[in-house]
Amino acid sequence: MRKLAIALIVMTASLAPARARTPQQAAPAPAAVPRTAPLSLFRMTQANDARAPLTQAAVTTAGVDLQLYGDGRNIIVATGKGANLPRLFFGLCKGPCGFTLRDRNRYFDLRGRASIRFTTIVSGFHRVRPIIRLADGALFIGDQAEGSTADYHQYDISFADCRWLRLDPVRGVTLGGGWVEADLSKVDEVGLFDVIPGSGVWTNDSLPVERQPPPPAGGWIAVSAFELWGQAINR
């Protein structure tokens, strides 16, 4: 059984800012970020070459919840024998769509060197963006976006590099007239979002999403791996 490599990973290195140095002092080499074994959050139980909606049933790690935003109910899990499978596919979303993961026992401090890492391929003008939900319930989307139309590539987005806009959790559209200062010291959920509807063609709305025909070439994102690097803090 192959697993979709989606993980939450705790970064235990200090996130405190470096002390000021005199001109005579050489800058120390940056400390390596300790890596722990990733927690596998998704497991594919369908037969090869199958598609199924992304639901909580796909989450196998105890204490982790899946949240869907925008038209996230139409994100599908695709399995098969080829490279970068299983994967999440956003091409059947009728509107902007995305997902987050939430640890029931921990928040995350995403300041400093914290980052989100994912492997993706995109089509058209689609790009993968990070979304976060704070402890107070506010949902934000970052301005950093990645994706290649040529092949699957791994990307890292540092949360400290992002500017944030509020995101409507139902419609998946940005809100407000300007950038918002998001408090990254206490983040409840972290995930990925696509602001453009997929290129899928729904031939019959009565059919479940997994039985819809494959979308034509034109616009979508596919994600085969997802990791969060941050400092875990108890709730």
Side-chain angles (χ1 to χ4, degrees):
M1 180 181 299
R2 303 184 63 186
K3 295 183 180 180
L4 178 59
I6 294 185
L8 288 176
I9 298 178
V10 179
M11 182 171 68
T12 57
S14 173
L15 300 177
R19 296 179 180 177
R21 296 184 294 270
T22 64
Q24 293 77 22
Q25 291 178 308
V33 177
R35 294 176 181 267
T36 60
L39 305 177
S40 178
L41 300 183
F42 289 84
R43 183 176 63 198
M44 303 303 101
T45 58
Q46 296 81 16
N48 286 335
D49 303 316
R51 297 186 299 170
L54 175 60
T55 66
Q56 181 65 34
V59 180
T60 59
T61 300
V64 173
D65 291 327
L66 171 75
Q67 308 291 334
L68 301 175
Y69 291 105
D71 195 36
R73 64 189 177 88
N74 285 323
I75 299 174
I76 63 173
V77 177
T79 63
K81 297 179 181 179
N84 296 292
L85 285 166
R87 59 176 171 244
L88 304 181
F89 185 73
F90 292 55
L92 287 173
C93 291
K94 298 179 180 180
C97 60
F99 74 94
T100 62
L101 298 172
R102 176 183 182 270
D103 191 309
R104 298 172 197 163
N105 301 312
R106 301 180 294 180
Y107 291 112
F108 288 93
D109 184 341
L110 301 182
R111 296 172 295 178
R113 292 185 292 162
S115 66
I116 192 170
R117 175 177 298 171
F118 52 90
T119 300
T120 187
I121 187 173
V122 303
S123 176
F125 289 111
H126 292 245
R127 293 294 183 270
V128 180
R129 296 176 182 271
I131 58 172
I132 58 174
R133 191 175 191 119
L134 305 185
D136 64 5
L139 185 66
F140 296 98
I141 185 168
D143 68 331
Q144 301 293 305
E146 298 287 1
S148 167
T149 60
D151 200 356
Y152 281 89
H153 292 289
Q154 184 183 83
Y155 299 94
D156 281 89
I157 292 179
S158 295
F159 294 99
D161 286 337
C162 290
R163 295 181 297 176
W164 302 96
L165 291 174
R166 290 188 179 274
L167 187 69
D168 185 307
V170 177
R171 294 184 295 153
V173 297
T174 56
L175 302 172
W179 304 110
V180 178
E181 188 71 26
D183 181 7
L184 299 178
S185 66
K186 200 173 185 181
V187 176
D188 190 24
E189 303 171 19
V190 181
L192 303 175
F193 202 82
D194 185 2
V195 299
I196 307 176
S199 59
V201 176
W202 284 66
T203 57
N204 186 342
D205 281 339
S206 66
L207 287 177
V209 62
E210 65 270 25
R211 294 184 179 275
Q212 295 294 334
W220 42 261
I221 68 174
V223 177
S224 62
F226 165 81
E227 296 175 357
L228 170 67
W229 293 88
Q231 180 68 47
I233 53 178
N234 292 331
R235 289 183 179 273

